[in-house]
Amino acid sequence: MTVVAEILKSKPDTTVHTVRPADSVLDALRLMAEKGIGALLVTQDDDRIVGIFTERDYARKIALLGRTSAATQVRDVMTTDVLFVRPHQTSEQCMQIMSNNRLRHLPVVENEQLVGMISIGDLVKDIISEQKFIIEQLEQDRKSTRL
């Protein structure tokens, strides 16, 4: 079973993009579009995580409520209850947390320091890779027993 640390190592870019609470939602959206990502961590000046801003936050708290992205600060619409995982946790544990809480992104924290972020896509990719490996092993075993 794969652990989060291994998933982070397999990612081509482990940069975690952040915004500040006072940044405009428009600036956050621009950064997300530029980086091709669906979530930004919201941090204070001391890099302490105070929230997460996601595409879902935008859809539900800006677009549906008639707010404007330029006039709204991230602090007004971010999710403040941020769940996170540790590098030693398994992909299965992460999937359970994400499924139970309907999340698509989980920050990874070690020794109170942010070390990365995993997405549901990262987990799906890892699970597919593990299953492919198992299938290949089973096919090899089947071939060797027929000889």
Side-chain angles (χ1 to χ4, degrees):
M1 201 170 319
T2 308
V3 296
V4 172
E6 293 170 1
I7 294 170
L8 288 177
K9 285 180 190 172
S10 71
K11 292 178 70 156
D13 182 12
T14 58
T15 304
V16 179
H17 299 283
T18 64
V19 291
R20 301 291 186 209
D23 290 347
S24 74
V25 168
L26 183 59
D27 287 339
L29 290 171
R30 284 183 177 137
L31 180 59
M32 289 165 69
E34 176 188 322
K35 301 300 180 183
I37 56 177
L40 295 166
L41 284 180
V42 184
T43 58
Q44 293 286 26
D45 292 331
D46 60 359
D47 290 330
R48 184 173 48 90
I49 299 169
V50 295
I52 188 168
F53 176 73
T54 67
E55 294 167 326
R56 186 180 290 166
D57 290 320
Y58 172 76
R60 293 180 181 174
K61 299 172 186 173
I62 299 289
L64 287 178
L65 298 179
R67 293 177 168 174
T68 64
S69 302
T72 306
Q73 291 181 325
V74 171
R75 74 166 39 97
D76 297 329
V77 294
M78 69 185 185
T79 299
T80 55
D81 186 20
V82 181
L83 298 179
F84 62 89
V85 293
R86 307 262 183 214
H88 67 272
Q89 288 183 260
T90 66
S91 56
E92 189 174 280
Q93 290 171 321
C94 294
M95 284 293 277
Q96 189 170 23
I97 291 168
M98 288 178 157
S99 295
N100 291 346
N101 294 282
R102 303 179 66 98
L103 303 174
R104 295 183 188 144
H105 302 88
L106 282 172
V108 183
V109 175
E110 183 175 38
N111 300 325
E112 306 308 316
Q113 294 292 315
L114 177 65
V115 296
M117 177 119 78
I118 59 170
S119 69
I120 192 76
D122 296 328
L123 294 174
V124 168
K125 181 180 173 184
D126 177 68
I127 289 168
I128 289 170
S129 177
E130 279 187 25
Q131 289 177 346
K132 183 178 177 184
F133 176 77
I134 290 168
I135 289 168
E136 289 171 358
Q137 293 300 308
L138 291 171
E139 287 174 348
Q140 287 295 335
D141 289 349
R142 194 180 92 215
K143 287 178 184 176
S144 63
T145 58
R146 287 197 297 185
L147 297 176

